[in-house]
Amino acid sequence: MENANQAQNAHIHVLVLPYPSQGRINPMLQFSKRLAHKGIKPTLSPTFCFSKMMDTTAISTHYGPTINVRPISDGFDDGGFIQAGSISAYLDGLKTFGPKTLAQLIEKLAEEGDPVKAIIYDGLFPWALDVARKFGLSGVLFFPESCSVSSVYYHVHCGLIKVPLMGLSPTTVSIPGVPELQPSEAPSFVANGSHPEWLAWLLRQFSDVDKVDWVLCSVFYDMEKEVVDWMTKMGWKIRTIGPTIPSYYIDKKIQDDKDYSFQRFKPITTLCKNWLDSNPKNSVVYMSFGSLAKLSEQQFKELACGIRNTHQSFLWVVRELEQAKLPKEFIDETSGQGLVVGWTSQLEVLSHEAIGCFVTHCGFNSILEALSIGVPVVGVPQCFDQGTNAKFVEDVWRVGVRAKVDEKGVVKREVLEECIREVMEGEKKEEFRKNADKWNRLAKEAMSEGGTSYKNIDEFVAFLGKC
Ligand code: UDP
């Protein structure tokens, strides 16, 4: 039956437009693989600069059509964001060149006899809907972050939350389906008014949220059911299709889908695996702050002393360019206790039985992975949506704690040490682990036959079939 459906969908070609960063591309690439598994033909369209980093023109799915990579331009084809030099220059380039080169790509694909039916776009490309409409295509908005965060932005867009929160009254965010958020728990652009250009850009996606054909999000329903229900009541055609992590870690339905097929940096895998293999079950602290966060030297020092003082085994990802910020003696001093690497395969690490907890900046992919794989968390959020994700870790999903910062915004060594002890050895240790196991089960159920995401993906595929 599945094969018959796959053949039936083979003529359906969709363009998938991810924003060029590891964290935003992963969910859309995984969703593309799900579509390919159903026989749909997705083409991934990152920016030129990012596609050069991906170093491929096609991603093999092992089970059918490859996912072709056909880039568009942000105006900075050699160096992307870095070449642009500033946020506003980058966003201007994206606005000028993005729609133009997207339209050219759509025309080109039609000339090649492979016309597209729909564009699935990251909300950071709000102009994609206009291009889709110009060509009579369906437009699908994709949220690669939590629905609660998207709802906060929506309320700012509507003027119902004033920015910055800090210094205003009330200083908290109180919106339907989301627990009350203190400023430190709200997205940083909203809390402190930083980077107004980014915020304005993020808000634009909501101008058309009730006009798009679908809104898809990378979570699974149980994670955020209240806010998803509220969005549905608002009339948005929203569907949860996650967790958007490789099938191997969830339903094992897609053969060989074990990684994101793209790594921003070269992962050190064997060394990490050997290190984890040499440690007992649930004993290792895994620490990583994702692909973008730049921590201060002071923060590195506190984290280094904190993790050392726990005497727990650890695996710490510190990107190569950040490693100079580690205290000089740290790596030698802790050589028997832990391992520092520049990048790893996070999914492999999280799913290793030696892992006891994940100290994370709470980037949304990292959180989705921790919940789906079932790993307790210590949240050390830095910026963007991470404070909101940390709030959910502690108060909604209840899989761990959030480390508090001092008046300078630094997590002190004693605080980190205490948080790790609480999650690894404290009174609530069992509760965190039990909850982590529950989210792992719910994630699997959502993606398995009859589950919420499974049904939503099928509904979406059926829609594409009628486009
Ligand atoms: N990641 C990885 N290896 C590492 C660190 C991170 O593969 O050593 C992956 C991780 O699995 C996640 C992504 O990089 O999918 C980071 O995304 P996230 O949203 O957590 O954070 P961002 O990098 O966007 O801040």
Side-chain angles (χ1 to χ4, degrees):
M1 180 64 177
E2 194 139 78
N3 285 347
N5 287 340
Q6 283 173 348
Q8 201 184 329
N9 294 332
H11 65 288
I12 305 171
H13 186 190
V14 298
L15 271 187
V16 180
L17 256 65
Y19 182 82
S21 77
Q22 176 92 58
R24 294 187 84 99
I25 213 164
N26 285 356
M28 296 188 80
L29 181 49
Q30 278 315 121
F31 183 56
S32 302
K33 291 183 192 170
R34 289 276 166 192
L35 293 180
H37 184 60
K38 301 272 177 193
I40 307 277
K41 184 174 178 193
T43 291
L44 195 74
S45 295
T47 55
F48 271 104
C49 174
F50 210 75
S51 75
K52 281 180 206 157
M53 283 183 216
M54 293 179 81
D55 196 23
T56 183
T57 53
I59 294 158
S60 158
T61 57
H62 303 282
Y63 45 80
T66 48
I67 297 172
N68 288 325
V69 177
R70 298 286 293 261
I72 58 166
S73 179
D74 53 12
F76 303 99
D77 295 347
D78 295 321
F81 195 82
I82 295 177
Q83 187 188 352
S86 72
I87 297 173
S88 51
Y90 184 71
L91 294 177
D92 280 350
L94 201 53
K95 194 168 64 187
T96 310
F97 292 92
K100 215 188 285 178
T101 51
L102 174 62
Q104 285 162 357
L105 176 61
I106 293 168
E107 281 165 354
K108 185 109 203 332
L109 290 167
E111 276 164 31
E112 290 170 12
D114 202 5
V116 296
K117 294 202 159 198
I119 300 182
I120 305 172
Y121 64 95
D122 184 316
L124 282 168
F125 293 152
W127 36 260
L129 185 66
D130 295 336
V131 180
R133 294 298 187 238
K134 189 174 143 206
F135 287 92
L137 310 176
S138 299
V140 180
L141 172 60
F142 193 99
F143 290 156
E145 49 210 342
S146 83
C147 292
S148 302
V149 165
S150 294
S151 183
V152 173
Y153 291 142
Y154 173 73
H155 281 81
V156 175
H157 166 77
C158 296
L160 298 168
I161 298 174
K162 299 277 177 261
V163 173
L165 282 176
M166 284 161 177
L168 289 175
S169 176
T171 54
T172 54
V173 169
S174 193
I175 56 174
V178 178
E180 185 167 66
L181 303 174
Q182 300 298 320
S184 64
E185 296 163 347
S188 59
F189 299 148
V190 175
N192 57 28
S194 61
H195 302 307
E197 323 82 317
W198 271 123
L199 180 62
W201 198 256
L202 275 162
L203 301 185
R204 279 192 52 198
Q205 64 186 307
F206 296 103
S207 313
D208 294 319
V209 71
D210 46 3
K211 299 190 192 86
V212 292
D213 294 289
W214 293 71
V215 182
L216 301 178
C217 46
S218 56
V219 300
F220 53 99
Y221 178 69
D222 283 311
M223 279 174 72
E224 295 196 281
K225 51 172 99 159
E226 290 81 6
V227 70
V228 173
D229 287 346
W230 177 80
M231 288 173 166
T232 307
K233 264 196 223 139
M234 291 293 289
W236 305 2
K237 194 163 180 194
I238 182 152
R239 296 290 185 275
T240 51
I241 51 83
T244 43
I245 75 169
S247 175
Y248 177 80
Y249 299 94
I250 300 290
D251 57 335
K252 297 192 176 10
K253 263 276 192 187
I254 306 183
Q255 201 193 342
D256 292 336
D257 182 30
K258 285 190 167 181
D259 58 40
Y260 288 113
S261 312
F262 160 67
Q263 290 275 13
R264 178 72 183 75
F265 307 98
K266 194 168 167 21
I268 313 284
T269 46
T270 312
L271 186 64
C272 292
K273 181 168 183 325
N274 291 345
W275 166 251
L276 293 174
D277 285 348
S278 69
N279 280 283
K281 194 170 174 192
N282 298 342
S283 69
V284 177
V285 179
Y286 171 57
M287 188 143 85
S288 170
F289 292 82
S291 62
L292 300 168
K294 290 191 176 124
L295 277 57
S296 67
E297 214 164 308
Q298 167 72 8
Q299 183 62 86
F300 264 110
K301 188 170 181 196
E302 294 303 318
L303 294 175
C305 294
I307 189 79
R308 186 196 58 204
N309 295 349
T310 61
H311 304 292
Q312 299 275 2
S313 302
F314 67 85
L315 171 60
W316 187 0
V317 173
V318 183
R319 297 190 314 274
E320 260 175 40
L321 284 175
E322 296 278 283
Q323 287 185 5
K325 295 184 193 165
L326 283 170
K328 280 193 187 53
E329 65 290 359
F330 177 73
I331 292 187
D332 284 344
E333 257 179 29
T334 56
S335 62
Q337 184 188 350
L339 186 65
V340 175
V341 294
W343 195 252
T344 187
S345 164
Q346 182 158 299
L347 290 161
E348 272 178 41
V349 169
L350 287 176
S351 58
H352 196 288
E353 64 165 19
I355 295 298
C357 86
F358 181 17
V359 178
T360 167
H361 70 312
C362 298
F364 195 58
N365 291 283
S366 294
I367 291 303
L368 201 53
E369 291 160 13
L371 279 188
S372 306
I373 293 172
V375 180
V377 168
V378 172
V380 184
Q382 302 296 304
C383 53
F384 310 141
D385 57 342
Q386 297 154 16
T388 315
N389 301 335
K391 162 80 174 173
F392 273 68
V393 161
E394 196 169 56
D395 291 347
V396 178
W397 302 318
R398 296 177 178 276
V399 290
V401 297
R402 173 188 182 152
K404 304 279 179 297
V405 292
D406 70 1
E407 64 291 346
K408 290 188 186 134
V410 173
V411 172
K412 300 296 274 201
R413 61 192 74 181
E414 303 79 20
V415 174
L416 180 74
E417 205 185 320
E418 181 51 35
C419 288
I420 292 175
R421 284 200 204 294
E422 210 176 325
V423 173
M424 297 281 280
E425 302 165 356
E427 261 173 35
K428 287 186 160 175
K429 165 183 125 173
E430 289 308 329
E431 187 187 326
F432 293 143
R433 196 146 275 289
K434 215 169 87 204
N435 288 338
D437 288 345
K438 178 187 90 179
W439 289 109
N440 166 255
R441 178 177 50 76
L442 291 173
K444 286 179 172 158
E445 279 174 19
M447 282 317 249
S448 302
E449 196 160 347
T452 45
S453 297
Y454 183 99
K455 287 200 267 192
N456 289 341
I457 293 171
D458 271 357
E459 189 190 353
F460 181 63
V461 168
F463 160 82
L464 289 177
K466 289 187 209 129
C467 279

